[in-house]
């Protein structure tokens, strides 16, 4: 199984490290040719505005939109979640609008802009240490979206068919369970 980590900006290396520790053939990807042969793609955190700009300028956004709609498994963390949302609150811009959610960017405001909290995630036996960095959360999810984690009444993880999103950064912990969850999504699709 080959999983790519979109390497336009953001914490690419940490995702690669976790995937490799799980014996996955993990590579950095930037170009359509590299993405075409993948079983799964991770869109890392970073700055969604900056990544979105590159996606538009290179037409990679449109390419990914079509690939994901035809079944490519994708996992967006933090800014990656913003990029995949069909609606960004108080904005008319979307990037790769594939998952039926509305997200609020930098939703935790200044005081709580970064924090860590151990919390439950559907399907995991024990709590997961969730690292939030100027994180978005989901303000609306359509009924076709499976909510995987709600923290203080805000949705922080969700799944719709082949698409997984989390507000937090599992690549910044030693816990590999969310990456394994994504790998299982890819396996079960086959
Ligand atoms: N606030 C960033 C954005 O909206 C996301 C931050 C992150 O990915 N850690 O793009």
């Amino acid at each position: 199984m080959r999983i790519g980590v979109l390497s336009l900006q953001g914490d690419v290396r940490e995702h690669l490290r976790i995937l490799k520790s799980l014996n996955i053939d993990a590579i950095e990807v930037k170009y359509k040719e590299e993405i075409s042969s993948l079983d799964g793609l991770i869109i890392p955190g970073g700055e969604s505005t900056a990544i979105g700009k590159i996606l538009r300028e290179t037409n990679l956004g449109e390419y990914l939109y079509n690939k994901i709609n035809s079944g490519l498994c994708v996992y967006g963390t933090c800014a990656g979640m913003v990029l995949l949302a069909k609606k960004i609150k108080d904005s008319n811009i979307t990037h790769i609008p594939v998952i039926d959610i509305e997200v609020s960017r930098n939703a935790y405001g200044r005081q709580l802009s970064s924090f860590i909290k151990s919390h439950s995630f559907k399907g995991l036996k024990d709590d997961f240490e969730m690292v939030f960095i100027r994180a978005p959360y989901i303000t609306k999810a359509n009924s076709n979206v499976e909510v995987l984690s709600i923290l203080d009444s805000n949705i922080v993880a969700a799944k719709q068919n082949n698409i997984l999103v989390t507000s937090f950064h599992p690549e910044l912990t030693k816990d590999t369970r969310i990456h394994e969850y994504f790998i299982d999504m890819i396996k079960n699709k086959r």
Side-chain angles (χ1 to χ4, degrees), residues 15-64:
H15 281 291
L16 289 173
R17 179 182 53 78
I18 293 206
L19 292 170
K20 285 180 179 162
S21 80
L22 295 167
N23 292 320
I24 297 291
D25 177 11
I27 55 164
E28 281 184 38
V29 294
K30 268 198 187 83
Y31 304 108
K32 295 173 190 169
E33 302 73 49
E34 298 164 322
I35 294 167
S36 67
S37 63
L38 296 176
D39 300 298
L41 176 73
I42 292 182
I43 305 183
E47 191 54 46
S48 57
T49 321
I51 304 173
K53 187 161 178 272
I54 305 172
L55 290 175
R56 258 189 309 283
E57 285 169 359
T58 57
N59 284 326
L60 193 56
E62 197 186 331
Y63 176 78
L64 286 173

Side-chain angles (χ1 to χ4, degrees), residues 45-49 77-79 82 105-106 133-134 136 169:
E47 191 54 46
S48 57
T49 321
T77 54
C78 203
V82 175
R105 291 185 61 209
N106 304 319
I133 304 170
R134 302 212 309 124
H169 291 262

